[in-house]
């Protein structure tokens, strides 16, 4: 790196020019009252390409600088690098070193003391240590660390040059949103409560797919959240309440989560839990929506994907479970090499460490299983998979309805 310049994400926006920014996303406007789309909220959407292009355009409008590409990282990447280094020389002038296990708490404390500028100090320190001469074994470990960040979708690269970007995609350095067929799940949690409680939230889902009638596939999705935050002086309402000045206060707070789930297009909803809208929320106060009305919505996102939306509000110590049942489109099952084929892709959300997952797929009684990928097991006529979703899940199986000597033969 020849030159490194830090821009504060809050200060980068030139408010005399933000009216020419890309249009504010509808959900950001509805649930946070945003009249403009600012750089601090640029990663709002689920699509990396949209995020990268919006960031490039906002930066050019406000600074006049045109960039060649965008690199997305989050604290999970810094943690992976810190674990590789073992000890972080966070301030060479004062010879302060921090063990990787203490890095997050140290960042929180220094952010309270020095503000966001500490991010620049930390990033430069990490780069300086990485530029030091390393042994071959250390370089291999560093590559493994970076690969872990890429596999977890926490590190991605997008170039504006289409030819360069094509190479990036070939190297799997760019997590795509689209669905290539088969079944699909992608969870996006967005904190809309002006807090930093996300690290205190546990996430879990169970997904039960019934393929007992291959002509009528159905699914039941159960999602659970729990807020492990400690005592908070601020209540959950109003949504915009001042939740404190220190990182600890902001972290131990109510969790306002706009949940989005992306599924195959063409699902048919059967039933869903209610996602209540609190009385002192922005949709009520600013847009006149009815208190305690249901925020659950489902509809077409694009040609390949459907979007499910619901607002979840959790006080410290509270947990909630919601259930959504729907009919799957018939194309989640296909015929491949004289076999029936079912594929499930579950994408990991960048920045979310884990989301405990339980997947069960019920097969027809006469099923003969010919191929099963991933770490799934075939038990009692069901495919079962337990995972923490720290990277994408690609579950693929091939089966026939009874013995089939031609299954798997091209």
């Amino acid at each position: 790196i020849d030159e490194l310049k830090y821009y504060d994400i809050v200060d980068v926006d030139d408010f005399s020019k933000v009216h020419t920014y890309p249009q504010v996303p509808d959900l950001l406007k509805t649930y946070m009252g945003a009249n403009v789309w600012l750089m601090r909220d640029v990663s709002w959407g689920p699509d990396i390409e949209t995020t990268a292009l919006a960031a490039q355009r906002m930066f050019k409008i406000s600074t006049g600088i045109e960039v060649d590409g965008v690199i997305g990282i989050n604290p999970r990447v810094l943690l992976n690098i810190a674990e590789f280094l073992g000890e972080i020389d966070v301030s060479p002038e004062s010879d302060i070193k921090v063990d990787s296990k203490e890095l997050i708490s140290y960042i929180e404390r220094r952010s309270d003391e020095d503000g966001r500028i500490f991010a620049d100090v930390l990033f430069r320190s990490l780069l300086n240590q990485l530029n030091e001469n390393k042994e071959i074994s250390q370089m291999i470990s560093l590559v493994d660390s970076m690969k872990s960040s890429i596999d977890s979708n926490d590190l991605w690269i997008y170039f504006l040059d289409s030819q360069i970007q094509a190479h990036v995609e070939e190297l799997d350095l760019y997590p795509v949103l689209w669905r290539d067929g088969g079944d699909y799940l992608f969870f996006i949690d967005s904190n809309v409560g002006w807090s930093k409680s996300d690290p205190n939230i546990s996430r879990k889902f169970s997904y039960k797919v019934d393929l007992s009638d291959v002509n009528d596939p159905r699914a039941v999705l159960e999602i659970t959240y729990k807020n492990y935050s400690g005592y908070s002086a601020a209540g959950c309402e109003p949504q915009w309440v001042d939740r404190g000045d220190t990182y600890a206060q902001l972290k131990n707070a109510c969790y306002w989560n706009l949940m989005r789930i992306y599924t195959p297009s063409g699902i048919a909803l059967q039933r869903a839990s209610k996602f209540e809208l609190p009385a002192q929320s922005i949709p009520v106060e600013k847009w006149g929506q009815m208190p305690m009305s249901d925020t659950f919505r489902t509809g077409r996102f694009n040609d390949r994907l459907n979007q499910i939306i619901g607002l979840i509000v959790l006080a410290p110590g509270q947990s909630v479970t919601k259930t959504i049942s729907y009919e799957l489109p018939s194309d989640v099952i296909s015929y491949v090499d004289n076999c029936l084929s079912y594929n499930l892709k579950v994408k990991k959300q960048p920045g979310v460490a884990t989301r405990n997952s339980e997947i069960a797929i019920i097969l027809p009684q006469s099923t003969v299983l010919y191929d099963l990928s991933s770490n799934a097991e075939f038990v009692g006529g069901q495919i079962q998979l337990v995972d923490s979703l720290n990277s994408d899940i690609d579950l693929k199986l091939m089966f026939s309805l009874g013995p089939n000597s031609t299954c798997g033969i091209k």
Side-chain angles (χ1 to χ4, degrees):
I1 296 176
D2 294 329
E3 183 181 354
L4 182 66
K5 185 173 181 180
Y6 174 78
Y7 290 84
D8 190 306
I9 197 168
V10 174
D11 296 336
V12 75
D13 298 305
D14 184 338
F15 278 85
S16 69
K17 301 176 181 178
V18 295
H19 65 281
T20 62
Y21 272 14
Q23 184 176 354
V24 60
D26 289 341
L27 292 175
L28 181 60
K29 183 176 183 178
T30 299
Y31 284 94
M32 296 198 77
N35 294 316
V36 292
W37 192 9
L38 300 176
M39 182 68 84
R40 73 191 75 171
D41 298 317
V42 74
S43 61
W44 173 266
D47 181 27
I48 295 300
E49 182 178 19
T50 301
T51 296
L53 292 176
Q56 176 267 342
R57 185 177 170 192
M58 291 175 183
F59 193 73
K60 181 181 179 181
I61 289 171
S62 280
T63 68
I65 300 171
E66 188 161 1
V67 300
D68 297 316
V70 178
I71 300 175
I73 65 172
N74 58 58
R76 306 301 310 172
V77 179
L78 299 182
L79 275 177
N80 284 340
I81 296 174
E83 288 173 3
F84 158 73
L85 294 171
E87 197 174 54
I88 313 303
D89 191 3
V90 292
S91 182
E93 297 82 5
S94 56
D95 197 33
I96 298 175
K97 298 183 184 297
V98 176
D99 186 272
S100 62
K101 297 182 178 62
E102 304 297 325
L103 181 62
I104 293 299
S105 59
Y106 183 80
I107 291 173
E108 293 174 0
R109 187 171 73 253
R110 285 293 301 272
S111 296
D112 285 341
E113 296 170 357
D114 303 329
R116 291 180 301 273
I117 192 65
F118 176 66
D120 182 38
V121 175
L122 175 64
F123 192 55
R124 289 176 185 274
S125 298
L126 287 173
L127 289 178
N128 288 336
Q129 285 185 257
L130 291 175
N131 284 332
E132 295 173 358
N133 293 329
K134 307 289 183 185
E135 297 179 0
I136 295 297
S137 60
Q138 291 177 306
M139 293 306 297
I140 292 174
S141 296
L142 175 59
V143 170
D144 288 341
S145 172
M146 301 308 290
K147 185 178 184 304
S148 175
S149 295
I150 292 167
D151 290 344
S152 63
N153 300 333
D154 293 314
L155 169 62
W156 54 264
I157 301 172
Y158 185 88
F159 281 94
L160 301 181
D161 185 294
S162 59
Q163 292 184 331
I164 298 176
Q165 181 59 21
H167 291 300
V168 167
E169 293 178 21
E170 288 175 4
L171 295 171
D172 275 343
L173 299 177
Y174 168 69
V176 295
L177 172 65
W178 63 71
R179 167 189 172 236
D180 291 325
D183 204 355
Y184 187 92
L185 281 176
F186 184 23
F187 300 86
I188 293 287
D189 294 330
S190 296
N191 189 329
V192 295
W194 286 277
S195 75
K196 298 184 181 295
S197 56
D198 293 77
N200 293 331
I201 307 302
S202 73
R203 300 167 169 88
K204 181 174 70 174
F205 78 89
S206 71
Y207 187 55
K208 191 170 186 177
V209 180
D210 187 350
L211 303 182
S212 58
D213 181 351
V214 295
N215 296 310
D216 185 23
R218 296 168 180 261
V220 178
L221 177 61
E222 188 176 271
I223 49 177
T224 299
Y225 294 86
K226 182 167 183 179
N227 186 351
Y228 283 94
S229 295
Y231 169 76
S232 172
C236 280
E237 297 184 56
Q239 179 182 351
W240 53 88
V241 69
D242 182 356
R243 304 192 188 279
D245 299 319
T246 68
Y247 212 104
Q249 290 171 332
L250 292 169
K251 190 167 72 171
N252 290 289
C254 187
Y255 182 53
W256 286 70
N257 174 34
L258 181 64
M259 176 206 74
R260 285 168 283 174
I261 305 172
Y262 296 88
T263 71
S265 61
I267 69 166
L269 181 69
Q270 292 182 303
R271 65 185 65 86
S273 301
K274 187 176 181 180
F275 292 71
E276 297 90 352
L277 180 65
Q280 291 184 291
S281 62
I282 286 174
V284 173
E285 292 290 321
K286 189 165 186 175
W287 309 118
Q289 295 188 22
M290 290 295 295
M292 302 309 293
S293 60
D294 193 356
T295 62
F296 179 88
R297 300 288 186 275
T298 182
R300 180 178 178 273
F301 179 73
N302 59 29
D303 290 341
R304 292 177 174 268
L305 295 173
N306 182 83
Q307 178 178 247
I308 293 171
I309 303 165
L311 181 66
I312 293 175
V313 181
L314 286 177
Q318 188 178 9
S319 64
V320 68
T321 297
K322 304 287 187 180
T323 304
I324 306 167
S325 305
Y326 48 86
E327 298 175 8
L328 287 162
S330 59
D331 66 357
V332 299
I333 299 176
S334 59
Y335 284 89
V336 179
D337 300 335
N338 301 310
C339 292
L340 289 164
S341 174
Y342 169 84
N343 300 334
L344 171 64
K345 163 80 82 174
V346 185
K347 290 198 68 65
K348 176 193 171 291
Q349 180 181 354
V352 172
T354 60
R355 191 185 300 267
N356 293 327
S357 317
E358 296 179 0
I359 298 170
I361 302 168
I362 302 172
L363 298 175
Q365 288 186 351
S366 58
T367 291
V368 176
L369 186 65
Y370 286 89
D371 189 28
L372 177 62
S373 64
S374 187
N375 297 319
E377 297 180 342
F378 186 40
V379 180
Q382 291 188 17
I383 305 297
Q384 297 179 354
L385 175 65
V386 178
D387 196 271
S388 58
L389 197 58
N390 48 27
S391 62
D392 292 353
I393 294 174
D394 282 296
L395 195 158
K396 300 179 180 180
L397 59 119
M398 296 179 71
F399 62 98
S400 68
L401 303 180
N404 182 352
S405 60
T406 64
C407 180
I409 300 176
K410 296 182 180 180

